[in-house]
Amino acid sequence: MVSKMILRAAFAAAVVGGLAGAGAAHAEDMATASMLANTCNGCHGPNGSSYGPATPSIASMNDLYLTDTLIAYKNGKRSSTIMGRIAKGYSDAELTAIAKYFTGQKLERVANQAADPKMVEMGQKITRDLCEGCHEKDGYVAEDYPVLAGQMMPYLRNNLADFESGARNLDENPALSAKELRKKKGKLQDLHEKFGKDGVEAVVQFYGSRK
């Protein structure tokens, strides 16, 4: 009887110890991801909500999209000013952990960006015609593509200018299928040809003014 009681107690202690160890390991993993992500906060804002005019918010992004983007920066498959150099300092596993961390953070649209109401109205019409198929619900949804609603206007302007000039090449995006690539190129071409510079600015002001 005594030996059975001892065995049961030992088994229970082992189970509890195992659970505690697993919990500690999970907490350590989370702490590591948080520590890795701290490096990003200087540019992308606290927990990924940007205050910087030319830096995107990355909180609540789709983790697969963000992981692919970070690894593309690291491998030189996506052009950048500084992100390529930063990403090379991390392993693919660390970049994946960083992406998952920011996916779990709430996006805070912290900036009140001045916008012309007429441009915003124009921008809404354009985006619902050209952009809604990917950047759904006025740019708030982050299912497969980045959130655009509430991003800093200088960042949005810079990216649209880079797409137009070819500095940012959609062909270099490994996450896009051939169909998606044709669609995006066509929509960007329509934006410039049908609506011109005013249309581009209207899109920027519409997305940037979202709260």
Side-chain angles (χ1 to χ4, degrees):
M1 176 68 73
V2 173
S3 61
K4 286 184 178 181
M5 291 178 65
I6 292 173
L7 286 171
R8 287 174 181 170
F11 177 74
V15 170
V16 171
L19 290 174
H26 178 68
E28 183 178 345
D29 288 344
M30 293 302 292
T32 301
S34 176
M35 289 173 63
L36 289 168
N38 279 339
T39 308
C40 312
N41 291 342
C43 294
H44 293 280
N47 294 321
S49 293
S50 177
Y51 286 79
T55 311
S57 291
I58 55 176
S60 297
M61 287 285 183
N62 176 284
D63 67 311
L64 294 177
Y65 169 84
L66 194 51
T67 298
D68 286 346
T69 299
L70 291 171
I71 292 175
Y73 279 135
K74 176 184 175 181
N75 296 336
K77 292 181 178 179
R78 179 165 172 175
S79 59
S80 67
T81 53
I82 192 172
M83 279 302 305
R85 283 175 283 164
I86 293 174
K88 285 178 182 177
Y90 298 90
S91 68
D92 287 2
E94 288 173 329
L95 293 175
T96 300
I98 290 171
K100 288 184 176 180
Y101 173 81
F102 282 114
T103 294
Q105 305 306 306
K106 182 181 177 182
L107 175 57
E108 303 286 350
R109 293 173 173 85
V110 295
N112 291 313
Q113 302 187 81
D116 182 333
K118 290 184 178 179
M119 293 293 279
V120 170
E121 183 180 359
M122 178 183 176
Q124 184 176 51
K125 291 178 181 177
I126 294 172
T127 58
R128 290 185 176 178
D129 177 34
L130 297 179
C131 313
E132 189 68 16
C134 297
H135 302 287
E136 300 174 72
K137 296 184 178 178
D138 292 339
Y140 284 97
V141 174
E143 289 291 334
D144 299 305
Y145 300 95
V147 172
L148 297 183
Q151 294 285 9
M152 293 294 188
M153 290 186 193
Y155 166 75
L156 295 171
R157 285 190 194 98
N158 291 344
N159 271 267
L160 286 170
D162 285 347
F163 280 130
E164 184 181 17
S165 69
R168 184 170 174 186
N169 189 349
L170 286 170
D171 292 316
E172 296 175 351
N173 189 337
L176 291 178
S177 67
K179 181 179 179 180
E180 289 173 315
L181 186 60
R182 287 194 302 272
K183 181 179 178 181
K184 279 187 171 291
K185 283 183 174 180
K187 297 293 186 181
L188 286 166
Q189 185 176 352
D190 286 346
L191 172 60
H192 289 283
E193 291 183 355
K194 292 181 179 179
F195 301 101
K197 292 182 178 179
D198 284 348
V200 172
E201 180 60 23
V203 168
V204 167
Q205 292 201 26
F206 171 69
Y207 282 132
S209 62
R210 300 303 87 195
K211 296 299 291 180

